[in-house]
């Protein structure tokens, strides 16, 4: 049996609002993505995942879906999306959509009907409850962006649950009609040739039917981190069966916001739940080789089932970009990218990280996201000069720092740029079975250096990443050739001299 494509793929996340604007409204659109497929093909990505492009009032910029089967006019039309998929496929790039599983917009016709009255046939499609004993919310759950997770609906005299904004009511997945309707959404897109989905906060869909209070010591914490219910696994098996009924290895990668790899492992089931589950541990890991090693070891120890293949992330549309997290150091961003793209698992690259972008500084009066995540959603600069290749000189958010030197065109002309580093890393993965599919094994190295080997029967690579600022000697008995250095201009194919520079990562292959 050959491995499914997504095991050796590099997936590139596009936040469509911020990618490229072609109609001049300051907001990125699907035509903008089509325009830059050259960039993605040149870079060498295997798939793109688009954050939501569905019809939405945009209270959470698309994660509040009002129509699952149409494109919001701000992004274009369904025809534009079909064209994008066809063009991407023609270049060998697969397309994943974001499937917002836990909630809809409060303007979705389902919720409008549900809210219309207690006897509405869709009342039970969402989670409605009477007030608690004192007349307040039914329990102490908090919403992810603050405040109670319950809102009062005056006309019908009940509370509804929303783990995110009040404009994002939670679906009631214990109702079989909801399950069927959400499966139909998947089928709609699978029938149209979509290659898979990123499932938004999918660990939240199964809820404890008793909706018990959070224990007091957890009550003030973000509820999203705490929900891990057996019922979710039953639902995930049903979702998996829908994907498996289609040809072509359609994939479901789940956003499961739980703390550790050990919490994530059950979400793969026995190869009958999610295909991939994001491991966000590196997002929370300090700049320390030993801490990084511990994260990878924990993943190895937890994902023991053959079907449990890791999915690694350094940045996304919800988190401060990794270069910003690492103090703005490009050398560190390069080192981290070298690790991301040589770990065992499927790496997810967030648009703009290949340009070494940092978060934008967003002045208070320009802040628009209820979750405070504007900085990492700054528009992508494609060219130098005003507008940076956008049809409007003034996009919806400020440009990231150094946009005049970090635009894609400038970096493409510089073989020493971080953009070329990403491209070389992606190429190396393609040509090295060990990097794509091999085992991962830590090797001994001096403190401050993360060192590991990737190996198959026929191919071996060693990665050394020096988290410190000073050069470190790493003595090896064997002779090695340098395939790539994170700070270099290209594959130097020189004999390894036995020293990793400060904030440098190298990929080595055995000599001869
Ligand atoms: C996920 C998304 C985030 C969104 C939230 C609610 O965490 O990544 O952007 O706000 O779910 O849908």
């Amino acid at each position: 049996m050959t491995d499914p494509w997504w095991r050796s793929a590099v997936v590139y996340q596009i936040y469509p609002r911020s990618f490229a604007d072609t109609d001049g409204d300051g907001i990125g659109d699907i035509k903008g993505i089509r325009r830059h497929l050259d960039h993605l093909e040149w870079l060498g990505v295997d798939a793109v995942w688009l954050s939501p492009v569905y019809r939405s009032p945009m209270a959470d910029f698309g994660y509040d879906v009002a129509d699952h089967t149409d494109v919001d006019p701000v992004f274009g039309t369904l025809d534009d999306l079909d064209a994008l998929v066809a063009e991407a496929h023609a270049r060998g790039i697969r397309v994943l959509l974001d499937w917002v599983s836990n909630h809809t917009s409060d303007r979705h016709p389902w919720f409008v009907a549900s809210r219309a009255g207690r006897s509405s046939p869709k009342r039970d499609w969402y989670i409605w409850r009477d007030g608690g004993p004192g007349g307040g919310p039914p329990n102490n759950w908090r919403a992810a962006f603050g405040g109670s997770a319950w809102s009062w609906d005056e006309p019908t005299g009940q509370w509804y649950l929303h783990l995110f904004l009040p404009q994002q009511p939670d679906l009631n997945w214990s109702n079989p009609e909801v399950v069927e309707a959400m499966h139909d959404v998947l089928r709609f897109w699978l029938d149209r040739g979509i290659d898979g989905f990123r499932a938004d906060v999918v660990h939240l869909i199964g809820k404890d039917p008793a909706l018990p209070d959070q224990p007091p010591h957890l009550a003030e914490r973000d509820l999203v981190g705490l929900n891990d219910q057996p019922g979710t696994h039953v639902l995930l098996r049903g979702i998996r069966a829908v994907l498996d009924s289609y040809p072509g290895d359609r994939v479901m990668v789940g956003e499961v916001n739980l703390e550790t790899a050990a919490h994530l492992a059950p979400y793969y089931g026995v190869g009958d739940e999610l295909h991939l589950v994001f491991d966000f541990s590196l997002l929370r890991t300090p700049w320390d080789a030993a801490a990084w090693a511990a994260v990878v070891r924990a993943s190895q120890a937890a994902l023991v089932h053959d079907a449990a293949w890791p999915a690694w992330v350094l940045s996304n549309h919800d988190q401060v970009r990794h270069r910003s997290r690492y103090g703005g150091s490009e050398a560190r961003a390069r080192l981290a990218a070298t690790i991301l793209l040589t770990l065992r698992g499927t790496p997810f690259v967030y648009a703009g990280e290949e340009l070494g972008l940092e978060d934008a500084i967003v002045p208070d009066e320009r802040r628009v996201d209820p979750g405070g995540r504007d900085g990492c959603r700054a528009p992508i600069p494609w060219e130098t000069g005003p507008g940076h290749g956008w049809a409007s000189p003034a996009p919806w958010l400020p440009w990231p720092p150094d946009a005049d030197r970090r635009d894609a065109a400038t970096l493409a002309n510089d073989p020493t740029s971080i953009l070329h580093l990403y491209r070389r890393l992606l190429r190396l993965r393609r040509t090295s079975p060990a990097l794509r599919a091999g085992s991962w094994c830590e090797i001994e190295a001096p403190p401050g250096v993360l060192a590991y080997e990737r190996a198959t029967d026929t191919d071996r690579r060693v990665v050394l990443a020096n988290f410190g600022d000073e050069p470190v000697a790493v003595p090896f008995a064997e002779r090695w050739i340098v395939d790539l250095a994170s700070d270099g201009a290209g594959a130097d194919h020189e004999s390894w001299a036995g020293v990793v520079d400060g904030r440098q990562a190298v990929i080595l292959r055995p000599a001869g």
Side-chain angles (χ1 to χ4, degrees):
M1 199 190 86
T2 54
D3 274 347
W5 65 270
W6 43 265
R7 275 205 175 217
S8 55
V10 175
V11 184
Y12 182 94
Q13 180 194 356
I14 292 177
Y15 193 70
R17 278 186 92 77
S18 303
F19 197 66
D21 170 29
T22 60
D23 62 9
D25 64 356
I27 294 173
D29 43 52
I30 293 172
K31 286 202 171 83
I33 303 173
R34 290 169 61 192
R35 182 171 292 176
H36 292 289
L37 284 173
D38 279 348
H39 172 81
L40 301 178
E41 191 181 2
W42 177 86
L43 189 59
V45 304
D46 302 282
V48 293
W49 142 39
L50 311 185
S51 279
V53 291
Y54 316 107
R55 277 191 187 264
S56 166
M58 304 288 168
D60 190 13
F61 297 110
Y63 285 94
D64 47 326
V65 178
D67 181 347
H68 293 102
T69 57
D70 200 7
V71 168
D72 195 276
V74 83
F75 297 123
T77 63
L78 202 47
D79 285 345
D80 291 333
L81 184 55
D82 286 342
L84 168 63
V85 173
E87 289 166 9
H89 283 175
R91 294 164 187 258
I93 297 173
R94 291 179 159 91
V95 181
L96 314 184
L97 295 181
D98 215 309
W99 181 58
V100 186
S101 53
N102 177 67
H103 43 262
T104 68
S105 162
D106 61 342
R107 312 266 187 87
H108 194 294
W110 299 344
F111 188 72
V112 172
S114 181
R115 189 176 216 167
R118 288 198 186 202
S119 57
S120 157
K122 291 220 166 41
R123 184 65 166 181
D124 186 50
W125 282 40
Y126 293 83
I127 300 170
W128 293 94
R129 290 288 185 279
D130 295 332
N139 69 21
N140 68 353
W141 292 6
R142 314 275 304 165
F145 305 134
S148 170
W150 296 91
S151 282
W152 173 249
D153 183 58
E154 184 64 43
T156 60
Q158 280 192 312
W159 300 80
Y160 68 88
L161 180 68
H162 52 86
L163 295 180
F164 292 86
L165 297 172
Q167 297 93 322
Q168 293 168 295
D170 279 43
L171 284 162
N172 177 14
W173 275 85
S174 68
N175 180 333
E177 290 174 10
V178 169
V179 174
E180 206 37 42
M182 288 301 280
H183 287 186
D184 279 346
V185 170
L186 296 175
R187 292 189 190 103
F188 175 87
W189 293 109
L190 292 165
D191 287 339
R192 279 189 114 79
I194 291 296
D195 301 287
F197 305 90
R198 174 266 193 187
D200 187 64
V201 289
V202 75
H203 61 302
L204 296 176
I205 62 178
K207 299 196 166 60
D208 182 336
L211 303 178
D213 271 345
Q214 289 292 341
H217 70 286
L218 296 177
E220 283 307 309
R221 284 186 50 196
D222 177 356
L223 182 77
V224 174
L226 304 171
N227 206 318
D228 190 14
Q229 291 297 319
T232 303
H233 298 283
V234 179
L235 297 170
L236 289 175
R237 289 195 282 276
I239 291 163
R240 173 66 173 255
V242 174
L243 267 75
D244 284 352
S245 72
Y246 283 77
D249 285 328
R250 315 293 174 105
V251 65
M252 182 72 80
V253 46
E255 184 197 21
V256 173
N257 277 323
L258 300 171
E259 309 262 317
T260 66
H263 288 104
L264 305 182
Y267 286 80
Y268 291 87
V270 288
D272 56 354
E273 297 189 26
L274 295 166
H275 298 88
L276 291 171
V277 182
F278 289 127
D279 188 330
F280 296 126
S281 314
L282 292 175
L283 287 159
R284 300 183 287 263
T285 306
W287 191 254
D288 175 65
W292 283 55
V295 164
V296 184
R297 257 186 260 127
S299 162
Q300 296 258 110
L303 305 190
V304 287
H305 194 281
D306 281 351
W309 182 249
W312 296 107
V313 187
L314 291 177
S315 285
N316 64 28
H317 66 295
D318 291 330
Q319 306 285 340
V320 173
R321 283 185 178 276
H322 62 269
R323 179 161 169 215
S324 299
R325 292 202 309 272
Y326 306 147
S329 158
E330 179 174 321
R332 288 179 170 192
R334 285 171 174 252
L335 179 153
T338 307
I339 296 175
L340 173 75
L341 293 161
T342 56
L343 285 178
R344 179 176 170 274
T346 299
F348 283 72
V349 170
Y350 177 47
E353 71 175 75
E354 79 278 26
L355 307 178
L357 295 186
E358 293 178 80
D359 275 23
I361 312 289
V362 185
D364 284 350
E365 67 279 9
R366 292 201 62 186
R367 296 200 162 274
V368 288
D369 175 44
R373 300 160 293 185
D374 297 310
C376 63
R377 299 174 178 179
I380 303 291
W382 293 102
E383 298 165 11
T384 45
H388 295 295
W390 280 52
S392 49
W396 71 295
L397 283 172
W399 296 106
D402 277 342
D404 253 324
R405 276 174 293 152
R406 299 220 152 257
D407 61 281
T410 301
L411 299 188
N413 281 326
D414 173 4
T416 68
S417 68
I418 189 169
L419 175 58
H420 279 267
L421 171 68
Y422 268 82
R423 182 166 188 247
R424 291 203 314 276
L425 283 164
L426 265 58
R427 285 188 161 183
L428 194 53
R429 277 180 70 91
R430 285 208 171 173
T431 55
S432 164
L435 292 179
R436 278 202 317 274
S439 58
W440 182 92
C441 173
E442 210 175 343
I443 53 185
E444 228 180 274
V449 177
L450 173 62
Y452 51 89
E453 183 182 78
R454 301 288 316 279
T456 60
D457 291 345
T458 55
D459 185 31
R460 276 168 79 203
R461 292 292 192 283
V462 158
V463 178
L464 304 175
N466 179 1
F467 280 65
D469 296 333
E470 301 303 323
V472 175
V474 184
F476 281 134
E478 274 175 273
R479 291 210 315 106
W480 295 85
I481 304 284
V482 181
D483 256 344
L484 178 149
S486 62
D487 55 349
D492 57 17
H493 302 304
E494 303 239 313
S495 187
W496 159 243
V499 175
V500 218
D501 286 338
R503 290 180 284 178
Q504 186 197 45
V506 291
I507 305 176
L508 309 177
R509 76 182 135 85

